[in-house]
Amino acid sequence: QVQLVESGGGLAQAGGSLRLSCAASLSSFTINTMGWYRQALGKQRELVATITRAGSTNFADSVKGRFTISGDNAKKMVYLQMNSLKPEDTAVYYCRVECNNSWGTRLVYWGQGTQVTVSP
């Protein structure tokens, strides 16, 4: 059974830092891209950052220069280091994994989400 387990969310003050982690239990799957999305109250889910198996990264303009994403292909984990946090970063953060199973079928999985709250 595929599982994405997120951790590291919580409360931070503006200007502070948090680090999110996501562990993917995906044996026999080939991970293509791992990433983080977020959804603030009353808003649509949006991309925060992604990283490919080759290490290429992509960031939303709103987090460039403040957030970094890293991955460990062997451990099938992805991390999001969030620095210089702003109140507008408050949202539920979701881990997303795009992968191929042993038959080559492309699949997408989401974590359950972890709350990040940034106080002014």
Side-chain angles (χ1 to χ4, degrees):
Q1 184 175 353
V2 174
Q3 250 191 330
L4 300 182
V5 179
E6 300 140 332
S7 60
L11 179 65
Q13 289 188 328
S17 300
L18 286 172
R19 186 175 187 243
L20 305 183
S21 300
C22 175
S25 60
L26 293 168
S27 59
S28 302
F29 286 60
T30 301
I31 293 177
N32 299 317
T33 304
M34 301 186 77
W36 293 93
Y37 288 67
R38 68 186 181 188
Q39 187 167 17
L41 198 61
K43 295 188 177 181
Q44 289 189 331
R45 191 172 298 188
E46 62 177 5
L47 178 146
V48 176
T50 60
I51 184 167
T52 68
R53 185 174 52 187
S56 297
T57 58
N58 181 43
F59 294 91
D61 288 342
S62 59
V63 306
K64 282 180 181 176
R66 300 188 297 122
F67 292 10
T68 57
I69 187 170
S70 59
D72 186 326
N73 290 334
K75 295 181 179 180
K76 296 185 178 177
M77 294 196 67
V78 63
Y79 308 94
L80 184 70
Q81 178 67 42
M82 304 184 292
N83 298 327
S84 302
L85 284 163
K86 303 176 180 180
E88 50 263 44
D89 294 318
T90 296
V92 177
Y93 284 69
Y94 296 91
C95 177
R96 178 186 184 273
V97 171
E98 181 185 325
C99 57
N100 290 94
N101 63 14
S102 55
W103 292 277
T105 303
R106 176 182 170 274
L107 301 166
V108 176
Y109 294 99
W110 292 89
Q112 79 285 356
T114 184
Q115 178 70 45
V116 171
T117 303
V118 183
S119 61

